[in-house]
Amino acid sequence: MKTRSAPDLPVPPAPVGPPPRTAGLLRLGRTVAVPVDTRAVLVSVALLVLLAVAAVTTLTLGRLGIPLRDLPSALFGEPRGMDKLILDRLRGPRLVTGIGAGAAFGVAGALFQSVTRNPLGSPDVIGLSGGAGAGAATVALLAPGFPVSVGALVGAVVAMAVVYLATGTGFGDPGRLVVAGIGVSALTAALTQYVVYAVERDQATVLSSYLNGSLATRDWTDASTIWGLLLVAVPLTLLISRSLTISEMGDELTTALGTDPRRTRTAAVVLSTALAAGAVTVAGPIAFISLTAPQIARRLAPAPGPRIALSALTGATLLVLADLAAQHLPLTDDLPVGIYTMALGGVYLGYLLVREWKKGTL
């Protein structure tokens, strides 16, 4: 009598991706235990400390800084005289706007890199920054008295609308999204350069500073704008973060688990665009924060999925440190912060090239 052998079962593939997170349990009483990513918590605390140090240094360093011994009373009491001027007009709004804009850029980059599954992905790639720059340039040329930031916001929205229509599938196909974005970026860059050459010299100087990204002359309206956007958008990103983590496994598995990958990607791109557009509106198209912050966050605390909170903290810290350098390094008077973030991005891309060369993938 012949016995039927059991069918060969497929062997599941070895897991690919970042190493598993270091998890612990946060116990609430005797019956509730919540899993906690211990490494992510420690990294978050370290980033908060670094951000606090950078913020204190921003407020106290230099000839116009508040003396360190007077800072607590100025922050928590009733500042007067020069201290009030520094907190209310010179450095306070600049610092708060920089923290918010950096966090928005960081979260926007984390969402976009998760959608495209590409470490070099960022909202800059799909033409958002280029559209904002073209919008600001057009306003400077055609309506010199109109706020440049409003033109930037309109330009960013128009650029995203063109990308959406050009793909033929909306924001659901990452490959088409990137190709359409590159085309829109090229067109907007040409328009921006034409305007810079066409406007008068004084206007061109101001416009050039904005196009490089600057936190100078920010006010509390800018700070409230970006923080209001963060309060609305960040909770929404946290709601879709689990779906994004699942979608990184591939569309077939994602669909089998009951998640619509196209809808998730569209929601992530829309939120990413809104956050990046808001940050560009208040600070200009600051380069490379949305590219580098999520990658630094992933390397500090490796785990699947977008690192929303860590990317926000990393982006805020990078932008505040870059702005601190812009204010105090003796290169030129108040060089736009975007120049320093471009240098940061160049170093980061160089690091990636060296790493890939050593791995033999170039």
Side-chain angles (χ1 to χ4, degrees), residues 77-114:
E78 186 65 30
R80 297 181 179 179
M82 195 63 182
D83 291 354
K84 182 176 178 60
L85 177 65
I86 292 169
L87 285 179
D88 288 348
R89 296 186 61 183
L90 297 181
R91 295 192 182 176
R94 179 173 187 156
L95 173 63
V96 176
T97 302
I99 294 173
F105 278 127
V107 175
L111 291 173
F112 193 76
Q113 289 177 11
S114 179

Side-chain angles (χ1 to χ4, degrees), residues 29-334:
R30 296 183 177 181
T31 58
V32 179
V34 180
V36 175
D37 188 340
T38 307
R39 180 168 177 175
V41 171
L42 293 176
V43 170
S44 298
V45 171
L47 286 172
L48 282 172
V49 171
L50 180 58
L51 179 59
V53 171
V56 169
T57 306
T58 297
L59 295 175
T60 58
L61 189 64
R63 182 174 57 87
L64 295 178
I66 301 173
L68 185 58
R69 64 179 180 277
D70 298 335
L71 185 60
S73 60
L75 289 175
F76 304 110
E78 186 65 30
R80 297 181 179 179
M82 195 63 182
D83 291 354
K84 182 176 178 60
L85 177 65
I86 292 169
L87 285 179
D88 288 348
R89 296 186 61 183
L90 297 181
R91 295 192 182 176
R94 179 173 187 156
L95 173 63
V96 176
T97 302
I99 294 173
F105 278 127
V107 175
L111 291 173
F112 193 76
Q113 289 177 11
S114 179
V115 166
T116 59
R117 304 170 197 168
N118 186 343
L120 295 179
S122 77
D124 303 336
V125 174
I126 60 173
L128 188 145
S129 296
T138 302
V139 165
L141 178 63
L142 301 179
F146 202 73
V148 172
S149 59
V150 176
L153 178 59
V154 173
V157 172
V158 171
M160 290 302 94
V162 172
V163 170
Y164 182 90
L165 296 173
T167 61
T169 56
F171 294 140
D173 189 321
R176 294 187 179 185
L177 185 65
V178 170
V179 172
I182 291 173
V184 170
S185 295
L187 292 174
T188 55
L191 174 60
T192 301
Q193 293 303 317
Y194 165 75
V195 173
V196 169
Y197 280 104
V199 299
E200 296 178 1
R201 179 176 298 178
D202 292 341
Q203 290 177 285
T205 301
V206 175
L207 179 60
S208 177
S209 177
Y210 181 84
L211 293 177
N212 284 316
S214 176
L215 292 172
T217 69
R218 301 302 98 183
D219 56 28
W220 289 114
T221 300
D222 298 313
S224 60
T225 297
I226 190 61
W227 279 99
L229 176 62
L230 285 171
L231 289 175
V232 173
V234 169
L236 296 177
T237 65
L238 294 175
L239 286 177
I240 66 169
S241 61
R242 178 173 174 79
S243 297
L244 279 173
T245 302
I246 295 173
S247 69
E248 291 182 358
M249 302 178 186
D251 287 358
E252 293 183 1
L253 182 58
T254 301
T255 303
L257 292 174
T259 301
D260 186 344
R262 185 174 294 273
R263 183 179 301 175
T264 299
R265 285 196 292 266
T266 299
V269 173
V270 169
L271 286 170
S272 175
T273 300
L275 286 164
V280 167
T281 300
V282 300
I286 296 175
F288 286 112
I289 294 294
S290 58
L291 174 68
T292 56
Q295 288 302 306
I296 293 173
R298 277 179 176 267
R299 282 164 173 74
L300 290 175
R307 286 301 219 174
I308 302 298
L310 274 180
S311 296
L313 282 173
T314 305
T317 303
L318 288 176
L319 187 51
V320 171
L321 289 173
D323 190 51
L324 189 61
Q327 293 181 66
H328 298 289
L329 286 184
L331 298 179
T332 185
D333 291 337
D334 214 5

